[in-house]
C-alpha cells in the first residue's frame, strides 16, 4: 500500500481570499515504511508575503521571487502523488482546500477529498482532550523535532510520517506478520523461510517488587502442586 505524507506552507488561511501555496513537501511510505522517495518544491505565490505568515515559515518575497509558479509544477506534483495513494495530512481540510484551489486555478485535475487521511482527527480520537498539534504529538511519542525552529513543508512531512506510524501502532502495526518480499523464493519446507529470532536483550520485567512478593506469597499458600513451580 502506497501512502504520501504531505504538508504545505501558505501565505495565509483562505485561498478564496487570495492566499497561495508557497511550499509543498511530501514523503512516500510503502506498507507503512519510508521508501526514501520525497517531493519538495518552493513556489512563487505571485503576491506579497504577509508578515504573520513569514514569521511562521520564514519564506519571504525575495527568496520566492525566482521559484516556479504552481501552474509550472502542478502536473509534476500530481504525478508524484499518483491517482490512488492515500494522502496522510495533519489538519487535512486546510491543505486539501489549498491544493485543490491551486489545481483549479491551473486548470488541472482536482484531488478527491476521500483520499486524505487526517492525522489531527486520528490524534483527537485516540487522545481525547489532549493537545494534538504536531509538536505535542512529538513530545508524546518522544520524536526529536529539535530542528523544527520554523515550519517547513518537507521537514514537517518527515516528522509527521513518524507521528503517523506511532498513531497506527508503531513502525510494524501488524506485528511484522505480513509477508515481506525479499527477492528470494521461500515457502513451506524452504531453508530460507522466515524463522523468529531471540531478542538481543530480554525485555525488562514489568512487575514491581511488591507485585513479585505478593505473587510469591500466593504461590506459597497453594503449595508444591502450584502450576507456577513448573516454570521456575
Amino acid at each position: 500500500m502506497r501512502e504520501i505524507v504531505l504538508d504545505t506552507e501558505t501565505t495565509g488561511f483562505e485561498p478564496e481570499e487570495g492566499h497561495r501555496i508557497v511550499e509543498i513537501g511530501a514523503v512516500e511510505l510503502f506498507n507503512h515504511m519510508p521508501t526514501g522517495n520525497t517531493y519538495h518544491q518552493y513556489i512563487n505565490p505571485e503576491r506579497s508575503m504577509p508578515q504573520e505568515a513569514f514569521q511562521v515559515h520564514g519564506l519571504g518575497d525575495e527568496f520566492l521571487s525566482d521559484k516556479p509558479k504552481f501552474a509550472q509544477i502542478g502536473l509534476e506534483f500530481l504525478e508524484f502523488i499518483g491517482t490512488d495513494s492515500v494522502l496522510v495530512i495533519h489538519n487535512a481540510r486546510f491543505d486539501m482546500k489549498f491544493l485543490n484551489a491551486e489545481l483549479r486555478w491551473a486548470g488541472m485535475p482536482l484531488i478527491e477529498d476521500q483520499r486524505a487521511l487526517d492525522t489531527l482527527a486520528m490524534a483527537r480520537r485516540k487522545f481525547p482532550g489532549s493537545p494534538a498539534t504536531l509538536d505535542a504529538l512529538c513530545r508524546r511519542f518522544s520524536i526529536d523535532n529539535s530542528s523544527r525552529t520554523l515550519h517547513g513543508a518537507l521537514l514537517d512531512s518527515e516528522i509527521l510520517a513518524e507521528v503517523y506510524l506511532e498513531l497506527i501502532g508503531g513502525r510494524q502495526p501488524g506485528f511484522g506478520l505480513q509477508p515481506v518480499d525479499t527477492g528470494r523464493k521461500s515457502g513451506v519446507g524452504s531453508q530460507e523461510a522466515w524463522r523468529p529470532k531471540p531478542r538481543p536483550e530480554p525485555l525488562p520485567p514489568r512487575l514491581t517488587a511488591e507485585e513479585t512478593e505478593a505473587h510469591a506469597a500466593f504461590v506459597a499458600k497453594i503449595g508444591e502442586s502450584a502450576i507456577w513451580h513448573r516454570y521456575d
Side-chain angles (χ1 to χ4, degrees):
M1 178 178 65
R2 185 173 186 259
E3 298 167 303
I4 303 296
V5 185
L6 185 150
D7 184 55
T8 65
E9 299 297 338
T10 68
T11 64
F13 295 106
E14 292 296 336
E16 300 309 321
E17 295 177 2
H19 289 292
R20 307 291 298 273
I21 293 176
V22 295
E23 185 184 9
I24 301 175
V27 174
E28 181 186 59
L29 304 179
F30 190 76
N31 290 341
H32 303 313
M33 293 296 292
T35 66
N37 194 17
T38 64
Y39 177 87
H40 184 225
Q41 181 65 62
Y42 294 111
I43 300 166
N44 182 345
E46 304 180 75
R47 54 154 294 162
S48 61
M49 180 67 65
Q51 182 62 24
E52 296 83 357
F54 177 78
Q55 290 174 345
V56 172
H57 48 60
L59 302 176
D61 296 336
E62 183 177 355
F63 175 78
L64 295 170
S65 62
D66 62 348
K67 302 302 183 286
K69 300 172 184 177
F70 186 92
Q72 296 172 280
I73 60 91
L75 291 178
E76 179 184 68
F77 168 70
L78 288 175
E79 182 179 356
F80 178 82
I81 66 172
T83 58
D84 57 0
S85 300
V86 175
L87 305 181
V88 180
I89 308 173
H90 203 65
N91 192 12
R93 178 181 295 182
F94 179 86
D95 297 82
M96 289 293 289
K97 72 180 178 182
F98 266 97
L99 287 169
N100 277 330
E102 293 281 6
L103 290 167
R104 185 173 67 252
W105 295 331
M108 297 177 184
L110 304 187
I111 304 169
E112 297 176 346
D113 287 336
Q114 58 264 35
R115 289 182 59 185
L117 190 160
D118 191 350
T119 52
L120 177 62
M122 289 176 64
R124 285 175 172 169
R125 288 194 300 269
K126 191 165 186 176
F127 309 113
S130 297
T133 65
L134 194 54
D135 286 336
L137 292 171
C138 284
R139 290 192 295 271
R140 175 180 288 277
F141 295 127
S142 299
I143 294 171
D144 181 13
N145 66 339
S146 56
S147 57
R148 192 177 187 250
T149 54
L150 290 173
H151 287 239
L154 183 58
L155 175 61
D156 284 2
S157 294
E158 292 170 343
I159 293 173
L160 180 57
E162 293 190 60
V163 167
Y164 168 61
L165 294 174
E166 293 293 341
L167 284 171
I168 61 175
R171 286 189 173 273
Q172 295 185 0
F175 301 99
L177 299 181
Q178 296 91 343
V180 177
D181 183 9
T182 64
R184 299 181 300 176
K185 298 294 183 181
S186 63
V188 177
S190 168
Q191 295 299 313
E192 296 184 2
W194 179 85
R195 294 289 184 271
K197 297 180 180 180
R199 291 178 179 272
E201 296 182 10
L203 290 174
R206 303 184 67 178
L207 293 176
T208 65
E210 291 79 8
E211 290 171 331
T212 301
E213 291 178 5
H215 177 71
F218 171 75
V219 173
K221 289 181 180 179
I222 298 177
E224 292 301 320
S225 61
I227 191 172
W228 287 277
H229 288 305
R230 301 180 189 177
Y231 303 99
D232 289 342

